[in-house]
Amino acid sequence: MTDIRTFRIGAIPGDGVGAEVVAAGRRVLDALASDSGGRFGFDWQEFPWGSDFHARTGRMMDEDGLDRIRDLDALYFGAVGWPTVPDHVSLWGLRLRICQSFDQWANVRPVTFLPGVTSPLRKADHTELDWVVVRENSEGEYAGLGGRNLSARGRGGEVAVQSALFTEVGCERIIRFAFDLARTRTRKKVSSVTKSNAQQYGMVLWDDVFARVAADYPDVEHESVLVDAMSAKFVLKPEDLSVVVASNLNADILSDLGSALAGSLGLAASANLNPERRFPSMFEPVHGSAPDIAGQGVCNPIGAVGSAALMLEHLGLSDEAARIHRSIEATTGQGVLTRDVGGTAGTEEVTRALIDNLGA
Ligand code: GGG
């Protein structure tokens, strides 16, 4: 008898285009499952959390929401953010709540240059570019430490403090993760990014840990670059990059720059990993909810579908993940492109092409 593995996946479409891209990704995953000859399948559980849920309940997710998803095999997330809820409330109430409560400390954001997609980089056409931005996902500038006070002084007199937290444990685990990842790649190089000339405590600790960890990986090239210089390097010397590791905020900004340089934020996939597997990991496109185009059927599903491939890799289905990557390349190579990458296709047309190309 065949052993059927059913993966229990929590789908959290969230806000805006999240619903459209998660639906597209689920169709691609279900197509792979039905093509697997019963080898594996997905038991989807959908959670209607997000800003609409907030309008009804005053919360971004159910009070016992974390307990309801804690034992699932993985989470598949869309996007968060909508004009009806302040952004810091929606982000902290849903995405960051899940990432931080489940210690998803490694946010892996590959930057993939695809056939048929024009990059604004002048070197992209004749240079093979392939980067991964590794974002520290549990502390740094997103530690949530600080407060606002002195509002009694009246308008203009309030103060706010927002502190970044850098722990040696937090720095070391993400830096080791980056070096281990670099060892699996053709170009074995890690670039660490800080602003340690100006931020002389936390980021100098990061630099010190980076130098110490790098000594354990003599086979991997390494460099330490200030964030301002690194943003210039992304544009001017992109062929010199492979794995880029940075704090929560710096990596968020650099990965947006990276995916814009690859053609569009709509292409960018990501994995929020709890590498110890004590909690479920969460897979989501890098892009947000895009209220300006939500509900119009024009958003790019490739970031979400690429995230589904990262989820399959995490679940041990590497061959199926590779099928998705090939299908994405075939689809963009055929010129089936949404308008953010210069095409005219809608979400539905691209999704159908992605499914049709699973045999590519
Ligand atoms: N799918 C990613 C997403 O919804 N991002 C919303 C956002 O604003 N994120 C900010 C951040 O993660 O730093």
Side-chain angles (χ1 to χ4, degrees):
M1 211 172 78
T2 333
D3 224 5
I4 300 176
R5 177 80 210 267
T6 301
F7 295 99
R8 297 170 63 230
I9 312 292
I12 308 169
D15 297 328
V17 297
E20 293 159 79
V21 298
V22 163
R26 285 180 59 168
R27 280 169 61 194
V28 173
L29 288 167
D30 285 337
L32 278 173
S34 45
D35 199 29
S36 76
R39 235 173 358 98
F40 66 89
F42 298 104
D43 171 11
W44 292 101
Q45 298 180 33
E46 182 154 326
F47 299 90
W49 300 331
S51 297
D52 282 352
F53 188 85
H54 188 275
R56 294 196 303 277
T57 65
R59 310 178 56 92
M60 288 297 292
M61 64 191 295
D62 282 308
E63 207 162 348
D64 63 348
L66 293 173
D67 289 333
R68 293 174 62 193
I69 57 179
R70 186 180 302 277
D71 295 322
L72 297 176
D73 292 310
L75 305 170
Y76 190 45
F77 190 85
V80 66
W82 199 249
T84 52
V85 182
D87 282 339
H88 65 281
V89 173
S90 57
L91 188 65
W92 276 97
L94 189 56
R95 183 184 174 276
L96 292 183
R97 178 125 192 266
I98 295 171
C99 290
Q100 298 204 348
S101 304
F102 289 167
D103 203 17
Q104 294 166 348
W105 51 264
N107 183 203
V108 179
R109 297 181 158 195
V111 178
T112 312
F113 289 75
L114 291 166
V117 177
T118 308
S119 162
L121 280 180
R122 69 185 146 86
K123 288 191 180 172
D125 294 339
H126 61 273
T127 318
E128 238 186 60
L129 300 177
D130 173 26
W131 312 325
V132 183
V133 177
V134 175
R135 174 185 186 186
E136 201 297 316
N137 212 32
S138 64
E139 50 182 55
E141 307 84 347
Y142 282 52
L145 298 176
R148 290 171 62 166
N149 206 349
L150 304 185
S151 59
R153 285 181 177 176
R155 196 182 177 88
E158 195 177 345
V159 298
V161 173
Q162 183 91 47
S163 297
L165 174 78
F166 289 89
T167 67
E168 201 161 351
V169 167
C171 295
E172 180 157 353
R173 66 185 182 178
I174 197 69
I175 290 168
R176 279 196 188 281
F177 184 96
F179 274 97
D180 289 336
L181 178 63
R183 272 192 170 151
T184 67
R185 294 167 56 81
T186 314
R187 177 83 190 268
K188 295 176 179 27
K189 176 171 183 185
V190 179
S191 306
S192 165
V193 183
T194 60
K195 187 66 183 166
S196 53
N197 55 348
Q199 297 184 306
Q200 72 273 50
Y201 305 119
M203 296 229 164
V204 173
L205 173 65
W206 174 293
D207 281 354
D208 289 348
V209 173
F210 184 72
R212 173 164 62 73
V213 171
D216 291 342
Y217 295 81
D219 52 320
V220 179
E221 281 177 82
H222 65 277
E223 64 178 355
S224 224
V225 184
L226 295 176
V227 66
D228 41 348
M230 183 53 93
S231 47
K233 189 166 183 168
F234 263 50
V235 177
L236 298 174
K237 232 176 164 218
E239 71 281 10
D240 203 34
L241 299 172
S242 177
V243 175
V244 176
V245 63
S247 63
N248 221 324
L249 179 62
N250 284 336
D252 185 40
I253 296 167
L254 287 174
S255 61
D256 271 28
L257 172 61
S259 38
L261 293 174
S264 167
L265 234 70
L267 302 167
S270 87
N272 300 286
L273 300 176
N274 172 242
E276 298 85 6
R277 295 179 186 254
R278 284 191 301 129
F279 300 101
S281 293
M282 183 162 78
F283 301 84
E284 59 168 342
V286 168
H287 66 72
S289 58
D292 53 328
I293 55 164
Q296 296 176 25
V298 297
C299 60
N300 194 337
I302 287 182
V305 172
S307 307
L310 298 178
M311 183 165 83
L312 292 178
E313 268 159 34
H314 182 75
L315 296 173
L317 297 172
S318 303
D319 290 347
E320 285 72 17
R323 282 181 71 184
I324 293 190
H325 292 308
R326 284 196 300 274
S327 159
I328 290 174
E329 289 194 3
T331 302
T332 59
Q334 288 159 359
V336 186
L337 303 170
T338 43
R339 66 188 195 191
D340 55 310
V341 276
T344 54
T347 313
E348 172 63 27
E349 196 183 333
V350 176
T351 306
R352 258 191 283 115
L354 289 167
I355 293 169
D356 290 346
N357 283 323
L358 283 173

